[in-house]
Amino acid sequence: MKVVALEDVLGTEHDVDGGNWVSRRLILKKDNMGYSVHDTIIKAGTETHIWYQNHLESVYCIEGEGEVVTLKDNKVWPIKKDTLYALDENDEHLLRAKTDMRMICVFNPAVAGTEVHDENGVYPVAKD
């Protein structure tokens, strides 16, 4: 059994500031669950280019409002509280926050916990 409180992660190396976002990584690769879980704040007024070439991600918005733009077709997907979106095709996208957005993110495969996006919006695959 594993129990993790957000306060256990705040201020540690797993409380990662990516500029437009802050991601508090709760479940990681080392936990051997096959996925990772993040409590992420997307900052109001930002636009972030993301392309998880190595990961699939599901994102559940629990606060705030914004939109996701899938770049292959320029489709705009409104996101608000109680909305989930799944990047099931390693979708290259823009995430725009109208207000601060609090998101619960699940990544497969799991991340190690300190990753930030590279110049293409990609996370590397966590090493064993």
Side-chain angles (χ1 to χ4, degrees):
M1 178 73 167
K2 181 167 187 73
V3 176
V4 180
L6 181 59
E7 66 188 31
D8 297 336
V9 175
L10 297 176
T12 72
E13 68 178 336
H14 302 299
D15 184 5
V16 179
D17 188 336
N20 291 351
W21 50 267
V22 177
S23 179
R24 295 80 64 93
R25 281 81 188 266
L26 303 167
I27 297 290
L28 301 168
K29 182 174 178 59
K30 68 179 176 68
D31 297 313
N32 295 314
M33 295 295 294
Y35 57 84
S36 57
V37 178
H38 312 193
D39 182 329
T40 301
I41 305 296
I42 309 298
K43 297 175 184 174
T46 63
E47 177 179 273
T48 305
H49 173 251
I50 306 170
W51 190 7
Y52 295 125
Q53 296 172 356
N54 303 312
H55 297 85
L56 297 177
E57 180 192 26
S58 293
V59 181
Y60 184 65
C61 180
I62 60 173
E63 276 180 26
E65 184 179 353
E67 62 189 20
V68 174
V69 181
T70 47
L71 295 181
K72 70 179 176 187
D73 57 10
N74 287 317
K75 185 162 184 180
V76 178
W77 305 86
I79 305 298
K80 62 182 182 178
K81 181 181 179 200
D82 299 331
T83 303
L84 179 136
Y85 66 92
L87 300 160
D88 59 343
E89 296 180 358
N90 305 97
D91 309 87
E92 183 176 11
H93 61 287
L94 299 175
L95 177 56
R96 297 178 180 144
K98 294 179 183 176
T99 66
D100 280 353
M101 300 172 73
R102 186 171 180 196
M103 320 286 258
I104 302 302
C105 309
V106 177
F107 283 85
N108 180 16
V111 303
T114 57
E115 293 87 346
V116 294
H117 302 128
D118 70 12
E119 66 278 359
N120 296 311
V122 177
Y123 281 161
V125 175
K127 305 288 188 232
D128 287 330

